Amino acid sequence: MDSKLESPVKEPQPLRNIVLVGFMGSGKSSIGRELNHSIGYQLIDTDHVIEEQAGKSIPKIFAQDGEDAFRDMETRLLEDLLLQQTSRRIISTGGGMVNKAENRSLLRKLGFVVWLKCSPEEIHQRTSKSNNRPLLQCADPMQTITKLLAVRSPQYEQTAHLEINTNDLNLGEISCGILESARYYFGTS
Ligand code: S3P
């Protein structure tokens, strides 16, 4: 048979999930909950799943096993989610999920990826009251935020299908914007 007549190999379709990426304190959990209420998709928070699987909190994982071990757990979880091939989920990810190129590719295969952008000042304000983020338990969190944002912003940008600046919008406005774009994306992909 003439190979030109064979049907072309199709790229696998991205799954019908909404994946939230963004820096610590950018509102992924709150927006994940808002989307869950609006459309009923199951909410999966990768930090929570990892804590459940490890049987300990993220600060404990960082302290006892180290950051690299945590990053491996993140990759394994994305691989598992992809293997499950399930759709209609909202996947809210930890802020460092985009660090590895491998993860960036997995995230895009998992669905429509939304980067929740936020200013360093807003991030600082939102994260300063909690002590459950090991990377910000340091003498100068603002400096760490600025440095990490410089490294990660291009990674979020590269991964996301949509960027939303969350500084001046309320949860309803953000979730409406996401749903409108996701509908278009799923309708055309
Ligand atoms: C991290 C962000 C955290 C959590 C861990 C590491 C990061 O999640 O995964 O503390 O590297 O930015 P949130 O973005 O939900 O705070």
Side-chain angles (χ1 to χ4, degrees):
M1 185 179 166
D2 185 340
S3 63
K4 282 184 197 144
L5 295 177
E6 283 172 21
S7 55
V9 179
K10 276 198 176 171
E11 283 285 311
Q13 291 276 318
L15 297 169
R16 198 185 172 89
N17 298 304
I18 295 175
V19 182
L20 303 177
V21 300
F23 206 81
M24 294 173 262
S26 59
K28 289 162 292 176
S29 305
S30 315
I31 291 162
R33 279 192 297 274
E34 180 77 17
L35 289 169
N36 165 262
H37 288 142
S38 302
I39 53 171
Y41 283 17
Q42 184 193 0
L43 175 59
I44 298 202
D45 181 315
T46 59
D47 284 343
H48 292 169
V49 177
I50 288 172
E51 287 186 321
E52 264 170 36
Q53 289 176 341
K56 52 189 162 188
S57 68
I58 288 175
K60 268 211 171 128
I61 298 173
F62 270 68
Q64 296 176 356
D65 311 309
E67 182 174 348
D68 287 351
F70 175 73
R71 300 297 171 201
D72 288 344
M73 292 175 197
E74 288 190 309
T75 304
R76 271 205 303 279
L77 176 54
L78 294 185
E79 287 168 347
D80 283 351
L81 289 171
L82 198 57
L83 266 181
Q84 290 167 20
Q85 285 287 301
T86 45
S87 278
R88 295 187 159 74
R89 285 172 164 179
I90 297 147
I91 302 170
S92 170
T93 61
M97 191 64 100
V98 294
N99 278 164
K100 289 160 111 179
E102 191 183 357
N103 291 4
R104 298 198 285 275
S105 151
L106 287 164
L107 288 165
R108 283 180 73 91
K109 287 182 189 153
L110 274 168
F112 180 65
V113 185
V114 182
W115 174 19
L116 302 175
K117 284 173 93 168
C118 197
S119 68
E121 294 75 21
E122 186 80 20
I123 289 169
H124 185 232
Q125 200 200 320
R126 291 190 197 166
T127 54
S128 59
K129 285 165 216 100
S130 80
N131 57 0
N132 62 357
R133 293 181 171 102
L135 296 179
L136 299 183
Q137 298 307 298
C138 55
D140 190 349
M142 188 61 190
Q143 191 188 42
T144 306
I145 291 169
T146 312
K147 274 190 187 162
L148 284 176
L149 262 181
V151 174
R152 291 180 181 178
S153 292
Q155 300 172 334
Y156 293 128
E157 189 172 15
Q158 192 190 333
T159 314
H161 298 100
L162 173 74
E163 303 176 13
I164 295 197
N165 201 322
T166 64
N167 286 322
D168 303 317
L169 298 174
N170 68 34
L171 289 181
E173 291 166 328
I174 297 166
S175 89
C176 270
I178 293 174
L179 291 176
E180 211 167 284
S181 304
R183 218 168 280 134
Y184 178 77
Y185 174 78
F186 292 131
T188 56
S189 66

